Amino acid sequence: MSRRLLLLLPILLLGFIGYISWIGLAPDRDPSVLPSALIGQPAPSFDLAALDPGKPHVTSKDFAGHVTVVNFFASWCLPCKAEHPMLFQLGKDDHVAILGIAYKDRPEDTAKYIGEMGSPYREIGLDQAGRVAIDYGVTGVPETFILDRNGVIRYRLPQPIDPDRLASEITPLVKSLMQ
C-alpha cells in the first residue's frame, strides 16, 4: 500500500502544479488588475519636501477640495518616461491637479528628469524613503491614483498610463468627479 502511494505521489504533485499553473494562466485573468484595499477610502496623508527647495513642503492638504491625480514616478523608470506624455494630455484641463511623487529618487536626478521631460505636475514631492508609497500600497512605478474632491481614492492604475486607458477610463472618471 505504501509503495503504491509512493508511486502516486509524483503524479499527484504534478497534477497539483498543473492546476495552480492553469489558474494563474486562465484566459479570463487580467494580471494588470491588482485589487486595492484603498479604493473608496480616504487617501493617506503626507508631508513631503518639495523638489524645488525654495517651495514649502508638499502635503496632502494642498489638494483638498480638488480632484487630484497622484502619480508616483522616478527618473530611473523607463515606463515612467513612456507615460509622461499622457500626463501632459491629462493635465490640459486646469481643473485637474496632478501631483507627482518622486519615489526613491535623488532630488538632483528628479530635477534633471523634469528638466529634460518637462513637468505636467502642479507640485512634486520627494519620497526618498518610500514611506508615502508604502502608505498608498504602491507596488512599483509608475503608479497612479485618482482622488475625488473629498480626498477619497476612486481609482488606481499600477502600470503606465496608455492612450487607450486614458481615453476610456481615466478621462471619463476625472470628468465625472469634477461635476
Side-chain angles (χ1 to χ4, degrees):
M1 181 71 169
S2 64
R3 188 178 194 115
R4 275 187 172 166
L5 188 60
L6 275 174
L7 292 174
L8 281 175
L9 190 60
I11 295 170
L12 292 173
L13 185 60
L14 185 61
F16 178 72
I17 291 172
Y19 174 74
I20 295 297
S21 298
W22 178 76
I23 288 173
L25 298 173
D28 61 339
R29 182 178 171 272
D30 184 358
S32 69
V33 175
L34 295 173
S36 175
L38 293 179
I39 301 293
Q41 301 296 316
S45 59
F46 58 85
D47 184 346
L48 295 171
L51 176 61
D52 182 351
K55 289 189 175 181
H57 279 213
V58 177
T59 71
S60 49
K61 293 176 185 164
D62 296 339
F63 298 92
H66 301 281
V67 174
T68 306
V69 175
V70 179
N71 178 253
F72 288 84
F73 74 98
S75 65
W76 45 262
C77 167
L78 290 178
C80 296
K81 290 180 181 181
E83 87 166 355
H84 208 77
M86 301 299 107
L87 293 170
F88 274 108
Q89 189 172 342
L90 182 61
K92 282 181 184 176
D93 183 351
D94 290 335
H95 300 292
V96 179
I98 301 179
L99 166 65
I101 298 182
Y103 172 73
K104 291 190 174 184
D105 208 358
R106 296 186 334 207
E108 58 271 17
D109 293 341
T110 302
K112 182 179 176 190
Y113 171 83
I114 293 300
E116 291 171 358
M117 303 286 290
S119 180
Y121 307 110
R122 279 205 190 155
E123 298 286 341
I124 299 174
L126 301 172
D127 188 18
Q128 291 176 282
R131 295 296 314 162
V132 174
I134 289 170
D135 291 344
Y136 272 77
V138 170
T139 58
V141 288
E143 194 154 329
T144 304
F145 296 83
I146 298 176
L147 286 55
D148 67 16
R149 287 186 172 123
N150 298 317
V152 174
I153 296 175
R154 297 296 175 195
Y155 181 84
R156 172 182 177 240
L157 181 63
Q159 62 189 37
I161 298 171
D162 61 65
D164 292 337
R165 198 174 304 264
L166 180 63
S168 66
E169 293 177 16
I170 297 171
T171 300
L173 175 62
V174 168
K175 285 182 179 178
S176 73
L177 292 173
M178 293 180 75
Q179 294 177 357

